[in-house]
């Protein structure tokens, strides 16, 4: 097995398997209870399969981001990784990649079983392949840094949940939206662009020791992900403006508006648009 798998993967397989089982438990056991706590049991029982899977996927994503951020942060100042950004290794990075690989493995299974779209499946499988390949070792220095992109993910999931609990356009969602935009811009656009530039430099310097397909795949993927971050950021701004502009109209035109600033009947049926669903996975 050691001859077939990436060099350091066998040492971390138990952690990867525990992570996969753990996220399966979050999906099937924790998420339904959490959703029932927020929605009420009757509302949860009335949801269709697609809506239930939405709650389960967002809850799993939330847990992953909260778990992975401190694990990634502790890998930022490891001398062995800094000394060799292309091929350096440290067991702490292995733990980080095992946990996140377990999540993306489970996430990919959910996408395939429930067919949440080809884009989601490709994203999950691509992330799984990248972090499994880091065990060779390869680019472990950057793996921990790119996982800091998850800094905006908790606020994105909270934004989605506020939509689902009838709090679209509420002051709480407004504050959360500001934090979401700030963390996304800071972690992905600003810090992410700096890391992506350094990543490209390291990749180019290591090109002689890499298969052409691997070099091209990582270089192309780096460009695509940064382009998607800009695209998603603009979509987030549009989506947030639409929500709060709509909220202002409701407050001005409807005297039956509830405490959240939207008509109660409308607030109870408001759901997140497709933009929010896409951004959850990135």
């Amino acid at each position: 097995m050691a001859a077939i798998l990436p060099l350091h993967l066998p040492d971390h397989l138990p952690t990867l398997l525990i992570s996969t089982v753990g996220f399966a438990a979050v999906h099937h056991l924790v998420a339904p209870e959490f959703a029932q706590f927020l929605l009420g049991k009757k509302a949860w029982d009335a949801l269709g399969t697609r809506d239930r899977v939405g709650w389960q996927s967002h809850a799993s994503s939330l847990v992953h981001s909260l778990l992975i951020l401190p694990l990634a942060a502790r890998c930022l100042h490891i001398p062995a990784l800094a000394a060799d950004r292309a091929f350096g290794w440290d067991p702490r990075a292995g733990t980080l990649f095992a946990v996140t690989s377990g999540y993306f493995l489970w996430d990919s299974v959910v996408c395939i079983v429930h067919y949440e779209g080809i884009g989601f499946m490709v994203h999950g499988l691509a992330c799984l392949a990248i972090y499994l390949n880091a065990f060779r070792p390869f680019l472990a220095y950057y793996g921990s840094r790119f996982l800091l992109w998850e800094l905006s993910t908790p606020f994105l999931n909270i934004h989605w949940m506020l939509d689902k609990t009838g709090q679209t356009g509420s002051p709480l969602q407004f504050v959360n939206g500001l934090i979401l935009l700030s963390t996304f811009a800071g972690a992905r656009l600003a810090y992410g662009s700096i890391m992506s530039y350094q990543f490209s430099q390291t990749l180019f310097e290591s090109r002689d020791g890499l298969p052409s397909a691997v070099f091209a795949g990582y270089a192309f993927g780096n460009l695509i992900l940064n382009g998607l971050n800009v695209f998603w950021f603009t979509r987030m701004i549009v989506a947030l403006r639409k929500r709060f502009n709509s909220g202002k109209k409701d407050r001005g035109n409807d005297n039956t508006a509830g405490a959240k600033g939207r008509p109660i009947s409308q607030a109870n049926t408001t759901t997140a648009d497709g933009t929010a669903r896409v951004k959850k996975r990135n």
Side-chain angles (χ1 to χ4, degrees), residues 91-248:
R92 286 169 288 184
T95 299
L96 170 68
F97 300 146
V99 172
T100 203
S101 294
Y103 167 73
F104 282 116
L105 175 58
W106 176 250
D107 186 63
S108 298
V109 170
V110 172
C111 287
I112 292 171
V113 171
H114 296 284
Y115 191 69
E116 297 188 12
I118 188 66
F120 297 143
M121 286 191 290
V122 171
H123 176 268
L125 292 171
C127 289
L128 176 61
I130 288 171
Y131 284 108
L132 287 178
N133 198 50
F135 285 99
R136 289 193 175 277
F138 185 54
L139 299 171
Y141 173 87
Y142 293 101
S144 58
R145 283 156 175 79
F146 284 132
L147 280 170
L148 291 179
W149 286 10
E150 292 291 317
L151 186 63
S152 62
T153 302
F155 305 104
L156 179 60
N157 286 307
I158 292 171
H159 181 85
W160 184 91
M161 292 174 185
L162 289 172
D163 270 342
K164 293 297 187 179
T165 53
Q167 299 188 66
T168 299
S170 66
L172 178 58
Q173 192 179 55
F174 178 75
V175 173
N176 182 78
L178 291 179
I179 299 174
L180 169 59
L181 291 177
S182 299
T183 53
F184 193 98
R188 293 183 179 242
L189 300 186
Y191 179 77
S193 296
I194 295 172
M195 286 298 103
S196 293
Y197 175 73
Q198 295 181 8
F199 172 90
S200 298
Q201 288 183 312
T202 300
L203 187 65
F204 184 78
E205 293 168 357
S206 308
R207 67 190 184 283
D208 292 337
L210 300 174
S212 298
V214 172
F215 173 79
Y218 274 86
F220 182 70
N222 187 38
L223 292 174
I224 292 297
L225 286 176
N226 280 278
L228 285 174
N229 280 336
V230 174
F231 172 74
W232 287 324
F233 187 68
T234 60
R235 293 293 299 273
M236 289 165 64
I237 293 175
V238 171
L240 287 169
R241 289 183 63 182
K242 184 185 299 183
R243 279 165 171 75
F244 293 105
N245 286 340
S246 175
K248 289 179 181 179

Side-chain angles (χ1 to χ4, degrees), residues 73-92:
R74 74 170 187 165
C75 294
L76 295 180
H77 304 290
I78 297 177
L81 299 182
D84 187 350
R85 295 187 176 189
F87 304 108
W89 183 253
D90 187 274
R92 286 169 288 184

Side-chain angles (χ1 to χ4, degrees), residues 256-279:
T256 63
K260 301 303 180 183
R262 298 179 65 87
I264 293 176
S265 60
Q266 185 177 353
N268 288 338
T269 58
T270 301
T271 60
D273 62 10
T275 303
R277 183 66 183 89
V278 170
K279 295 194 296 295

